[in-house]
Amino acid sequence: MYDFINGDEYAPAPESTSELNVKEQYGLFIHGEWCDAEGKKTFDTIDPSNQKVLSKVALASSNDVDKAVAAARSAYNGEWGQMSGSDRGKYLYRISRLIQERSREFAVLETMDGGKPIRESRDIDLPLVAAHFFYYAGWADKLDYAFPGKQKVSSVGVVGQVIPWNFPLMMAAWKIAPALACGNTVILKPAETTSLTALLLAEVIAEAGVPAGVVNIVTGAGDTGRAIVEHPDIDKIAFTGSTCVGKQILKAVAGTEKTYTLELGGKAAHVIMDDAAIDQAVEGIVNGIFFNQGNVCCAGSRLLVQEGVAEKVIKKLKKRMESLIVGNPLDKNTDIGAINSKEQLNTIKRMVKSATKEGAEVWQPEGNVPRKGNYFPPTLILDCAQSHTVVQQEIFGPVLTIQTFRTVNEAIEKANNTEYGLSGGVWSDKGAKVFKLTDQINAGIMWANTYNAFDPASPFGGFKESGIGCEGGLHGLYPYVKLNG
Ligand code: NAP
Ligand code: MG
């Protein structure tokens, strides 16, 4: 299990950003080569902490997607499709080690392009990315033993993968590592606002000697993603993003032979029982909602606190929030970085306004939030009703709604009363209560007396409108294999 308190040795602190060579322009990575998009079209990617243009990125058309799919198909029909699992594993081990070696560069680039605090990209994202490749490297030669009772395990073919902006490199790792371990080839599209680390990963994949066409990275916006989803020569779609786009994708693949996994939104309940260790629970609440500015699908965004301790928890939480530093993502002291885009910042503002309109109370600590750049302060919404928009819908920002409850059953009822079912957390000293809550809250991932603890061996996926299928662990192999017998 990754140690969140003490960090990890893999990614030393960046000394400065001067060693980082951000290119003026990035191309598409197709068939192991860098190329322009059709018509040399590009778009700008910005640094959300200061709104400055960081770089230009190629805007892939549907013809560019065709080229990438053809490259992936020929790689699948060629050397890669025939390769033994142990040889595929060697490439994955090589990628993991190169990520470790270049983790400082990756972490700084991730923070500049995405806005997340360097402490998080350096100490959490990068070690988890390397660990994910290591973990699936280990499966590559053991697939025949992974599914007891099955006679034959084969790959699915060419896989189209579309990912969001909140964990750009980590989502690329979650997609690419299991796909390659199982012998598939890949076309991956990062989010428009955070393409750079996926492109650096392409560089690493080339450096690792992975055969041309096995991994293709096409950059662009929603239309590029749609061209992947609708492409007739793709066998499987793996999507992580909003429930709204997930539903469009489901419609697009309905009636085709494509298989799919959808990792979508969440609205996790974070339940504090009156017997919980309160100081630890408060740290857990802070980690649950303010990690990565709350731009986290599994964020503990709805606090459910038992009546007897509500006042105490809220008082301590407010005090703790007063110490959080909002600001320059590259500063090692920063707790809450920049929101990735103006659009997302406006969504957060709109949601918080709706809370006031619907009768809730908004609380924010006094303190400095930089005026330039996409910043939003840590925020509590008190006196929430279950029907409030902010309780029902994903805000995807550093905003925590607070409700109280009297009994365990009431907590379960409130926790389950949204359309989502991705994750949740429970704090209690009593095993019986922990087991009842984790069992009866309808969510794919439940944490007890901790929050946001990730491990590549642990499956991750949601129920209800939070998605279909799992990533991570042994379960994460299933979408990438065909099983006979
Ligand atoms: P999004 O708007 O759904 O976009 C996700 C990706 O899909 C982006 O690459 C996007 O491209 C692309 N896209 C947009 N429209 C498309 C279409 N019609 N067809 C195919 N692709 C299309 O989500 P987001 O705002 O980037 O990410 C935030 C959401 O992701 C939240 O709801 C969060 O909960 C969810 N999420 C879920 C998980 C999980 O594991 N369950 C993990 C992380 C995030 P552009 O961005 O370039 O337009
Ligand atoms: Mg950017």
Side-chain angles (χ1 to χ4, degrees):
M1 181 64 69
Y2 176 69
D3 184 345
F4 275 80
I5 307 297
N6 300 312
D8 192 290
E9 69 199 35
Y10 293 152
E15 303 298 332
S16 74
T17 57
S18 58
E19 65 187 87
L20 184 73
N21 175 21
V22 182
K23 294 179 187 143
E24 264 175 44
Q25 193 167 324
Y26 289 81
L28 307 172
F29 184 70
I30 297 178
H31 197 64
E33 285 173 3
W34 295 97
C35 57
D36 287 334
E38 185 181 36
K40 295 193 186 311
K41 282 199 176 158
T42 62
F43 60 91
D44 290 340
T45 192
I46 62 142
D47 176 342
S49 72
N50 56 22
Q51 317 268 11
K52 288 190 183 144
V53 175
L54 259 182
S55 187
K56 285 192 179 308
V57 179
L59 177 62
S61 67
S62 59
N63 287 335
D64 294 315
V65 170
D66 282 348
K67 274 200 236 166
V69 175
R73 179 59 65 190
S74 80
Y76 185 71
N77 291 338
E79 189 188 357
W80 188 256
Q82 309 303 319
M83 195 178 282
S84 69
S86 63
D87 281 348
R88 290 199 306 271
K90 283 181 204 161
Y91 285 110
L92 287 166
Y93 281 121
R94 229 178 267 163
I95 294 170
S96 331
R97 285 193 291 268
L98 286 168
I99 290 169
Q100 288 180 325
E101 277 169 27
R102 296 178 72 173
S103 62
R104 177 182 300 198
E105 198 182 341
F106 270 113
V108 174
L109 195 58
E110 191 77 315
T111 283
M112 288 175 80
D113 199 18
K116 66 174 64 197
I118 188 67
R119 226 178 40 219
E120 294 179 4
S121 43
R122 181 195 68 187
D123 297 345
I124 298 173
D125 293 32
L126 260 297
L128 281 170
V129 166
H132 213 80
F133 275 101
F134 273 121
Y135 176 79
Y136 281 106
W139 272 120
D141 63 349
K142 300 174 193 71
L143 295 177
D144 287 339
Y145 313 100
F147 312 99
K150 300 290 169 190
Q151 282 154 11
K152 193 166 177 323
V153 182
S154 49
S155 50
V156 173
V158 174
V159 180
Q161 305 183 318
V162 180
I163 57 172
W165 49 264
N166 59 339
F167 291 95
L169 186 64
M170 192 142 68
M171 291 299 105
W174 284 24
K175 295 276 175 288
I176 293 173
L180 264 49
C182 296
N184 304 282
T185 58
V186 163
I187 299 107
L188 177 126
K189 189 198 90 68
E192 181 185 3
T193 51
T194 54
S195 304
L196 299 190
T197 47
L199 295 167
L200 188 56
L201 180 62
E203 215 176 291
V204 158
I205 286 169
E207 202 181 330
V210 174
V214 172
V215 176
N216 304 276
I217 310 283
V218 290
T219 44
D223 285 345
T224 312
R226 197 174 302 121
I228 293 174
V229 168
E230 292 175 357
H231 202 286
D233 199 31
I234 286 183
D235 301 301
K236 178 202 152 53
I237 296 296
F239 172 77
T240 300
S242 60
T243 296
C244 170
V245 174
K247 285 181 179 176
Q248 292 171 30
I249 291 177
L250 200 52
K251 280 187 195 150
V253 298
T256 72
E257 298 207 338
K258 287 190 183 84
T259 56
Y260 52 88
T261 36
L262 303 172
E263 302 288 341
L264 311 176
K267 192 73 194 175
H270 203 164
V271 181
I272 315 297
M273 301 302 299
D274 59 9
D275 58 11
I278 298 297
D279 288 336
Q280 287 166 32
V282 167
E283 281 311 303
I285 296 166
V286 167
N287 172 25
I289 186 63
F290 302 126
F291 170 54
N292 202 36
Q293 299 78 240
N295 306 141
V296 182
C297 51
C298 55
S301 55
R302 287 187 293 144
L303 187 69
L304 296 177
V305 54
Q306 199 160 16
E307 267 182 13
V309 289
E311 206 175 307
K312 190 172 169 191
V313 168
I314 293 167
K315 194 170 160 208
K316 284 186 180 243
L317 180 59
K318 284 181 173 174
K319 190 148 189 288
R320 179 68 178 87
M321 284 167 66
E322 274 161 1
S323 72
L324 294 175
I325 300 171
V326 183
N328 181 1
L330 280 170
D331 186 328
K332 281 176 258 180
N333 294 314
T334 292
D335 297 299
I336 299 179
I339 305 296
N340 178 248
S341 65
K342 265 257 147 7
E343 201 186 345
Q344 181 59 25
L345 183 63
N346 289 338
T347 303
I348 298 168
K349 287 182 181 166
R350 199 177 58 240
M351 290 291 278
V352 172
K353 257 192 204 152
S354 83
T356 318
K357 254 199 214 153
E358 291 176 20
E361 185 201 329
V362 173
W363 182 88
Q364 292 167 332
E366 296 202 355
N368 288 332
V369 171
R371 263 187 284 160
K372 260 195 169 168
N374 304 343
Y375 293 101
F376 197 83
T379 302
L380 297 181
I381 304 188
L382 301 136
D383 298 331
C384 288
Q386 191 70 29
S387 58
H388 282 165
T389 309
V390 282
V391 172
Q392 290 295 324
Q393 290 179 20
E394 194 178 38
I395 302 173
F396 224 55
V399 182
L400 179 69
T401 65
I402 303 187
Q403 295 170 269
T404 58
F405 65 90
R406 283 190 186 162
T407 63
V408 172
N409 286 341
E410 190 187 343
I412 292 168
E413 203 172 297
K414 284 184 166 158
N416 286 335
N417 186 355
T418 76
E419 63 191 25
Y420 296 106
L422 185 59
S423 59
V426 178
W427 293 77
S428 170
D429 195 33
K430 294 276 180 299
K433 286 185 201 167
V434 166
F435 284 118
K436 181 162 180 181
L437 284 154
T438 51
D439 182 50
Q440 294 190 15
I441 292 177
N442 190 15
I445 304 112
M446 285 299 299
W447 286 292
N449 296 328
T450 185
Y451 207 91
N452 278 338
F454 302 103
D455 190 284
S458 167
F460 191 99
F463 301 136
K464 301 191 316 194
E465 301 226 341
S466 290
I468 297 168
C470 262
E471 295 186 310
L474 171 61
H475 297 71
L477 293 171
Y478 278 87
Y480 291 104
V481 290
K482 282 195 252 177
L483 302 174
N484 300 307

